[in-house]
Amino acid sequence: MSSGSPPSVPARVAGERYRALTREPGHRSIVVIDQRRLPHTHVLLTIDDAEVAAEAIRSMVVRGAPLIGAVGAYGLALALDRDASDGALSAAHAMLDATRPTAVNLRWALDRVRALVAALPVGARADAAWQEADAIYAEDVAINAALGGHGLELLRELAAAGHDPLNVMTHCNAGALATCGFGTATAPLFLAHALGIPLHVWVSETRPRMQGANLTAWELRQHGIPHTLVVDSASGLLMRRGDVDVVIVGADRVAANGDVCNKIGTYDKALAARDNDVPLWVALPSPTIDWTLDTGDRIPIEARAADEVLRIAGRADDGSAARVAIATEGTAAMNFAFDVTPARLVSRYITERGVANDARSLHDLHRGGAQ
Ligand code: MRU
């Protein structure tokens, strides 16, 4: 593995640096990209209230496990600006925690801020919460860079084996938009591309919220990385044809036994990958590991509104925003947002501390020895 300072790559939109979340120094507010409007419109939203933060997470203005963790932490700081009593702290923690159940980063960030401030006098709590949220943000940026460096080494090895270009498949969006830095699953891709390693990315559209089509394709385009959008169900065919060298996905929660909970459809890709000898790499920051759960079967799977399956949103030919029904009115629909891929189907876990081949080495990397 490479050593020294972690590599970094600027995330850009129209030549300008873009970040899913920013906080101007000294401001008691944060600014986020409204991800519901991408890729057609780039709209920023100021969050200056805990309820607004909660709604932004719930409605997926912001999404992606590490990003919702950071927004949750800032949301708690905003709540404490108004009332830092014990009761208000518990109520704000509960409100933010209830927004989305699956990604453990949200609970992790909220617990971290609460544990810190609960030990302080009421008058010192809000400032301490802002500082802690800033620390969570900065750590996530550093995690992305370190994780990206480790993933880059794996990609180099694969490229050296003669894959030119390297055909990578990804699912959902685990990019800069899902994090505070330049992503988890995409971080090695951005670095490899910046270093001239020829890449092509298969982007699966990711029904029903279309994070692949709307967000990952947008990000790859900003970076000039060749990519092709495919329907989710094309993955098996592409792998069987030998058109995929590696599948790289992010994670929303990883259990202690290495089971990986990620966007719905990941498990199908993992099965197709195993059947076709395609490696499946999971990129995960350590706050995504839930050591309290022995297996992935205990991870709560978010079920979202059926309407997200029954209607599809996009831009009409005349440029207007459109939302259309795709099934007969009254059709029953189910909308599970995540699935669990058993550890046996995962070839590599890429973390900020290095690469693990299995749950035991993941444990040793993160909990073994002196940390
Ligand atoms: O429902 P979302 O969009 O918040 O889902 C999160 C994701 O984008 C993914 O599952 C991702 O791979 C993990 S977050 C880096």
Side-chain angles (χ1 to χ4, degrees), residues 157-169:
E157 285 167 23
L158 212 53
H163 300 285
D164 183 9
L166 209 45
N167 276 301
V168 178
M169 175 171 280

Side-chain angles (χ1 to χ4, degrees), residues 100-301:
R100 294 197 71 192
T102 299
V104 72
N105 309 56
L106 177 60
R107 169 75 61 86
W108 167 85
L110 292 171
D111 285 356
R112 175 168 156 174
V113 175
R114 181 176 62 182
L116 179 96
V117 302
L120 300 175
V122 169
R125 288 178 174 177
D127 283 352
W130 280 101
Q131 274 174 25
E132 196 64 1
D134 284 345
I136 286 170
Y137 177 98
E139 284 169 28
D140 190 51
V141 173
I143 283 173
N144 288 181
L147 183 160
H150 295 302
L152 172 66
E153 294 307 313
L154 290 179
L155 285 177
R156 274 193 216 276
E157 285 167 23
L158 212 53
H163 300 285
D164 183 9
L166 209 45
N167 276 301
V168 178
M169 175 171 280
T170 191
H171 188 52
C172 194
N173 173 266
L177 292 168
T179 65
C180 301
F182 60 101
T184 56
T186 56
L189 306 180
F190 292 151
L191 292 173
H193 177 72
L195 293 171
I197 296 174
L199 280 181
H200 167 262
V201 184
W202 296 108
V203 179
S204 53
E205 55 184 354
T206 319
R207 283 275 296 149
R209 294 290 300 220
M210 298 295 188
Q211 292 95 330
N214 292 343
L215 307 178
T216 302
W218 181 81
E219 287 201 46
L220 293 171
R221 197 175 160 89
Q222 302 304 326
H223 288 264
I225 299 178
H227 59 281
T228 306
L229 184 66
V230 291
V231 296
D232 296 326
S233 42
S235 317
L237 174 75
L238 287 168
M239 290 191 224
R240 195 162 162 75
R241 286 164 50 118
D243 290 337
V244 181
D245 299 314
V246 61
V247 179
I248 311 183
V249 295
D252 292 87
R253 194 185 300 219
V254 175
N257 72 341
D259 289 352
V260 173
C261 183
N262 192 50
K263 183 53 58 190
I264 190 88
T266 303
Y267 178 40
D268 305 48
K269 282 189 171 50
L271 289 170
R274 179 52 55 97
D275 195 43
N276 292 285
D277 293 324
V278 175
L280 170 70
W281 300 347
V282 177
L284 68 146
S286 53
T288 298
I289 309 173
D290 187 345
W291 298 109
T292 70
L293 295 187
D294 49 354
T295 106
D297 296 339
R298 297 182 51 218
I299 296 173
I301 301 293

